[in-house]
Amino acid sequence: MSIKESELILNPDGSIYHLNLKPQNISNTIILVGDQDRVEKVTSHFDSIEFETQKREFKTQTGLYKGKRITVISTGIGPDNIDIVLNELDALVNIDFKTRQIKDKLTSLDIIRIGTSGALQDHIPVDSFIVSTHGLDINGMLHSYKIDAIRNTDIEEAFVQQTNWHPNKAYPIVIKGSLKLEKTFESEKVHKGLTATAGGFYGPQGRVLRLAIQDEELNSKMDNFNFNGVKIANFEMETSAIFGLAKLMGHEAISLNAVIANRVLGTFSKNPGTVIKNLIIYTLNKITQ
């Protein structure tokens, strides 16, 4: 059965609705960044660029780095944007746009997030790197999908118990990242840990300006969470959504984080642009090794 026009939305030129891309425009290695201005900070290292487009916050460039074809896409901020980007990327490689049918042979993408985040452990300093082993969804987006087969209920139950998680909030979901890509990017230069993904920047991450938050002690509870050695390394807004959707669709996904703040120590990087640049170079070189 073909997918309805209201579900798979294409632009008049045949490109996918939000990303403005056609299947030939992307490679099988995808780097995701949040900030659209960061796309060119990645592709400035490329040998050549063959394609580029932008629609709204979704900017894409595809080119060659040391002979390897790589696509860089900006997602904007938050799990809701990741829902758009991951579904449309999967459609580009696994749905025939002419027949509107799912292909018999599915393609698996390598999806690599390069992002910024705040560390939740005092031993992870600003200007360091984190490779996310798991994504902890505390924003609820993944509950829209059938996720029972991919979740880690033992870690979830421990998190709920140790944090006294409020029942009115979305139940936490823990998704393991790609072990293959984790091994690709691990080294003595990086820390590892579980990454918590919030649905907002202020209250959902425990920040207080003028509004009181539901649990003033949430961050300290998360700092102290420990399940058989699994600890929460950092807080951001995309990783769990990337891990969950990628795993459901059969893609490999990893999240690489430039630590620009330490929430425990209250410190912030003096040169955040430098640590992001260093992580970009680290990522590109690991991809091509």
Side-chain angles (χ1 to χ4, degrees), residues 78-99:
D80 50 343
N81 275 21
I82 296 301
D83 183 60
I84 292 171
V85 173
L86 265 290
N87 273 286
E88 293 196 0
L89 280 175
D90 181 76
L92 284 165
V93 295
N94 289 321
I95 296 175
D96 186 316
F97 284 7
K98 293 182 178 179
T99 65

Side-chain angles (χ1 to χ4, degrees), residues 5-21:
E5 292 183 7
S6 60
E7 313 305 297
L8 173 63
I9 305 172
L10 302 179
N11 296 311
D13 66 353
S15 62
I16 196 78
Y17 183 62
H18 294 93
L19 298 185
N20 210 39
L21 295 170

Side-chain angles (χ1 to χ4, degrees), residues 78-193:
D80 50 343
N81 275 21
I82 296 301
D83 183 60
I84 292 171
V85 173
L86 265 290
N87 273 286
E88 293 196 0
L89 280 175
D90 181 76
L92 284 165
V93 295
N94 289 321
I95 296 175
D96 186 316
F97 284 7
K98 293 182 178 179
T99 65
R100 294 181 166 271
Q101 294 185 343
I102 297 172
K103 295 179 180 179
D104 293 332
K105 183 178 181 180
L106 300 180
T107 297
S108 178
L109 301 171
D110 284 348
I111 300 171
I112 304 147
R113 174 186 182 267
I114 299 178
T116 58
S117 69
L120 294 183
Q121 302 295 329
D122 57 12
H123 72 278
I124 303 177
V126 295
D127 302 334
S128 61
F129 306 155
I130 295 173
V131 172
S132 304
T133 59
H134 301 75
L136 166 63
D137 183 313
I138 57 172
N139 58 78
M141 191 279 287
L142 289 176
H143 281 292
S144 297
Y145 298 94
K146 293 183 177 181
I147 54 171
D148 288 347
I150 65 168
R151 61 195 302 174
N152 291 265
T153 56
D154 49 355
I155 305 178
E156 295 168 7
E157 291 169 0
F159 178 81
V160 168
Q161 182 178 10
Q162 291 183 34
T163 61
N164 192 27
W165 192 250
H166 197 282
N168 288 347
K169 291 182 176 180
Y171 195 89
I173 303 166
V174 176
I175 307 293
K176 183 79 173 71
S178 165
L179 187 58
K180 181 192 82 169
L181 293 180
E182 181 183 327
K183 291 183 178 299
T184 297
F185 291 101
E186 66 184 6
S187 76
E188 71 283 353
K189 294 183 179 181
V190 303
H191 301 268
K192 285 186 179 183

Side-chain angles (χ1 to χ4, degrees), residues 8 19 32 54 60 69 99 180 200 254 271:
L8 173 63
L19 298 185
L32 299 182
Q54 181 169 1
T60 301
R69 191 168 184 252
T99 65
K180 181 192 82 169
I254 200 68
N271 296 290

